[in-house]
Amino acid sequence: MVVTAGYSVVMPFLAMHLAVERKVPVIAVGAIWFVAGAVGAVSQWIAGEIGDRIGRRPLMLGAMWLRAANLAAMGWTLSLDGPFTSLHLLTVAALTVGNAALRGFFDPVAGAMVADLTPTERRLAAYSLQRVGINVGWAAGPAVAALAAGIPYSTLFYACTPITIIGALALSRMQEPPATHARRAFT
């Protein structure tokens, strides 16, 4: 819930901000989201492999810390005064794609961690709780953004950074689950 709420305050509104406020052509905004979606999908596949080799917790922590930095960088980029140049757009595009990749490195590994930590007979309840948390995060983020209507959009990214850090700190207090069959060498 915390991780999802952290980025759902800002990311759902980025395309609209670029198209309406920054006058970026909609085709360019769509291209950014297309690439971000593709990279996010590929990173999920890669994350599963990496998580099985180095452990789920280190991969999730790395993704969360990098995502906090990514959100702060996005806030800084969007706060720059003056005309929105091609360099600004490329920077926002790279940060958006990076955000999608980092989400891809977190989400599937978090799901695998639920399986690692939960006995088989309680997995349905555990996955249901995880899903409810994600949905609450998706609902809470835009609600917070609506309450912050007078605050500059770029400032919301700075507010989301510590939320992501709180999630990372909470995860850092957890122990790595014991090795599962998924991490054994495949023959």
Side-chain angles (χ1 to χ4, degrees), residues 19 23-35 89:
K23 308 294 186 231
V24 174
V26 174
I27 192 79
V29 174
I32 293 168
W33 260 254
F34 174 78
V35 172
L89 182 58

Side-chain angles (χ1 to χ4, degrees), residues 96-175:
T96 302
V97 170
N99 181 68
L102 293 167
R103 180 178 181 200
F105 277 110
F106 180 84
D107 286 350
V109 180
M113 194 175 228
V114 169
D116 290 347
L117 294 170
T118 311
T120 305
E121 65 276 3
R122 297 193 48 142
R123 267 193 204 138
L124 181 60
Y127 279 118
S128 296
L129 182 62
Q130 180 189 32
R131 191 69 212 161
V132 166
I134 290 169
N135 288 338
V136 168
W138 274 113
V144 168
L147 292 173
I151 296 173
Y153 180 63
S154 61
T155 303
L156 292 176
F157 283 90
Y158 295 130
C160 294
T161 300
I163 295 170
T164 305
I165 291 171
I166 288 168
L169 291 173
L171 179 62
S172 70
R173 297 179 51 87
M174 292 179 62
Q175 296 297 316

